[in-house]
């Protein structure tokens, strides 16, 4: 199964990056949102999930038995949830903790926001 | 709709590359597993999900705010689950129904298999 | 941190069961909907889940540490999903299989109904 | 951090409480874990869920159509998840925020613990 993912194109149009002006700021791994430190790990995970989705296309294309396709869907969903969880953990560690230092309204807003995100994950 | 399951055609996959220049080989949509009739719809869904996963990579790459990334993860998970559900519905309609005609052991096996797949989806 | 969980009171007063006095009303166990054969097993499972929910009330009441409460919530949710799955499996084996013998519209309706139920479980 | 939660009122209408007879066992109600402020709300939710589980027993007992039972299971699961979410939100607001003030190892431990709990919820 080739999940090659060759990428010859220039990376993701930095010109359209809202954070542009500091393109070098990524990669260095100290982004503004906590998760940048582990950016490479996140991207690697997501590329693997992309490979799984491509694998699903091949399976459907080749008339693989539905139950086997479903097993692979479960694996992909699990991988996505696991990615979400690691993102969330970083968010709690950095953003929510930072808000806690400010306390009050700021903290309440961050916690409500994180809880809403967890609620969406639970329902998906 | 005939759930005949007859497979007189040579098995897809003479070449190794699924997508290699034989688009007409599939598309005919009369595969052995029930879901082939909707193969195009399935592939379209999966391509959209693949696009969502790539979108996630861009978001991470551009240091988009974690909560917004999580919202997109929820959307992708939901899309995957919805794909699984449509696959499962076809499976029940064709494979399980076909097994029901044979009854007994065959039906029990198919139902147990489908239930196990549903269980995996619930836990993912 | 007190995770005491001390339980000095007699457990859940079995004598107060609202269904108590009418045991003979059920028990026949051969209902019209497939799952009756396993009715006793189902009721036993549900009673255990009810006990878990009561346990949750005690935990909250005794200020047990939130994470421990959450662990118990996860166990109860899992037990509910597992109950749902066994119910669904019986439904497929009996109702959907019966519909398959009639075929056509009847089968389509039953499969659509079962799929919708599975969808609700996935989203809950 | 003060999560005082003083509770001077008599606990939970002991007259209607099925667990009555031991009202004094709890009642102090000013626990260390953040969620006590909303203890009454939590207990009310849980009692409603307990009622739903009893309703499920009645449905099974009366041979209600499986799909309708499954719909009720979905509702109960949703209610449990919603309860978990409100508990988690309080936990983040109080315990995790308190840990954030201490920072370092303490915060890391709390965040890892909360993330593990969220992971269990996602998988249940």
């Amino acid at each position: 199964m080739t999940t090659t993912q060759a990428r010859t194109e220039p990376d993701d149009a930095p010109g359209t990056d809202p954070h542009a002006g500091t393109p070098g700021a990524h990669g260095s791994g100290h982004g503004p949102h906590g998760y940048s430190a582990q950016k490479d790990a996140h991207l690697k995970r997501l590329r693997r999930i992309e490979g799984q989705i491509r694998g699903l296309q091949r399976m459907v294309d080749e008339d693989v038995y539905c139950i086997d396709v479903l097993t692979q869907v479960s694996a992909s969903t699990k991988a996505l949830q696991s990615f979400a969880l690691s993102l969330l953990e970083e968010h709690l560690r950095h953003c929510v903790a930072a808000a806690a230092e400010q306390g009050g309204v700021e903290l309440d807003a961050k916690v409500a926001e994180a809880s809403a995100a967890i609620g969406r994950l639970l329902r998906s």
Side-chain angles (χ1 to χ4, degrees), chain A:
Chain A
M1 185 176 297
T2 58
T3 327
T4 46
Q5 232 106 327
R7 295 193 55 185
T8 51
E9 77 279 19
D11 199 330
D12 292 325
T16 61
D17 184 347
H19 297 284
T22 57
H26 324 311
S28 59
H30 51 357
H33 301 312
Y35 63 77
S36 298
Q38 305 189 351
K39 192 191 264 195
D40 287 343
H42 289 328
L43 288 173
K44 208 169 154 187
R45 261 173 193 266
L46 286 171
R47 270 185 229 113
R48 209 179 307 129
I49 295 171
E50 188 191 331
Q52 288 179 309
I53 306 297
R54 281 196 223 245
L56 279 168
Q57 293 172 46
R58 264 191 303 275
M59 291 174 97
V60 166
D61 208 36
E62 296 170 5
D63 292 322
V64 167
Y65 184 50
C66 352
I67 295 295
D68 295 329
V69 181
L70 287 172
T71 300
Q72 171 70 6
V73 174
S74 293
S76 305
T77 307
K78 219 174 263 241
L80 264 176
Q81 295 279 36
S82 168
F83 166 70
L85 199 59
S86 72
L87 213 59
L88 189 66
E89 184 165 358
E90 277 184 85
H91 181 65
L92 295 178
R93 185 163 286 128
H94 298 286
C95 303
V96 175
E101 278 165 39
Q102 303 183 272
V105 174
E106 183 69 14
L107 173 62
D108 278 0
K110 283 292 176 196
V111 166
E113 186 188 57
S115 298
I118 297 167
R120 282 191 294 274
L121 288 174
L122 282 175
R123 250 165 275 119
S124 69

